[in-house]
Amino acid sequence: KMRHLLRRPAYLVMVAAIGLAGASEISLGQWISALAERGLGFAKIYGDLFGIGLFAVSLAGGRIVYGLWGGRLNLPRLLTGSAAATIVVYLAAALVPFNGLALAACALGGFTVSLLWPGILVLTAARFPNGGASMFAMLAAAGDLGAATLPWLVGAAADRFADASTGGDGLRLGLLAAVICP
């Protein structure tokens, strides 16, 4: 029952983790085209094609790789490595002055975040095998909350800091602030 799960600190950690995973994935995916256009100077068509297109291919690739070989890997270590790699991606997107390299880092971000959400679901199901549908509903709600909240905060930070003092690079500052999620 949900009331029993909510008394388990390990479950609460999983709920928080999936919220942060959703925030990490969707923030990068949502803002990559705008970053490519405004922050990196690419034309809109290239920002959309190479931004979200490469992110999506990279995301799918990471999930396919895990689907094929994930059973042989240590999932907690893999999640830790994925989160660390995602931090590097966010830092590169925000701080690397070379446009192509920053965009490549964002595209690679699809791969680095690809395991976070499904990996946390797998770990939670293994830890709480009798959790039932309500357990997964709570995880989905937490992931959706993170996925809805952080991209909005990145945009708010971009608007707030997009002035002459930052050279109009508020989006990079917003992504830099989002580095706390992974």
Side-chain angles (χ1 to χ4, degrees):
K1 298 207 183 260
M2 184 54 68
R3 68 178 182 265
H4 298 294
L5 283 172
L6 291 174
R7 292 184 200 144
R8 306 281 304 265
Y11 180 69
L12 296 176
V13 167
M14 296 297 194
V15 169
I18 204 162
L20 294 170
S24 299
E25 179 181 327
I26 301 303
S27 292
L28 194 55
Q30 180 176 334
W31 287 106
I32 189 171
S33 292
L35 177 68
E37 293 169 41
R38 291 191 292 162
L40 305 177
F42 287 96
K44 177 162 180 41
I45 184 87
Y46 296 115
D48 291 344
L49 281 173
F50 294 115
I52 193 64
L54 291 174
F55 179 85
V57 168
S58 183
L59 181 74
R63 289 185 176 160
I64 289 169
V65 166
Y66 182 74
L68 293 173
W69 297 291
R72 300 180 224 166
L73 303 171
N74 180 318
L75 185 55
R77 282 191 184 151
L78 198 56
L79 284 171
T80 302
S82 293
T86 303
I87 289 170
V88 171
V89 163
Y90 268 92
L91 290 173
L95 301 174
V96 169
F98 305 108
N99 296 347
L101 189 55
L103 184 60
C106 289
L108 178 64
F111 189 83
T112 66
V113 300
S114 66
L115 182 60
L116 297 179
W117 187 301
I120 292 166
L121 288 175
V122 169
L123 281 180
T124 307
R127 176 81 187 247
F128 304 102
N130 297 322
S134 58
M135 175 182 77
F136 289 108
M138 175 72 89
L139 291 170
D144 290 345
L145 181 62
T149 305
L150 189 68
W152 172 74
L153 291 172
V154 169
D159 287 344
R160 171 73 172 92
F161 296 111
D163 61 20
S165 66
T166 63
D169 228 357
L171 186 52
R172 282 185 179 229
L173 289 174
L175 287 172
L176 184 60
V179 76
I180 64 168
C181 286

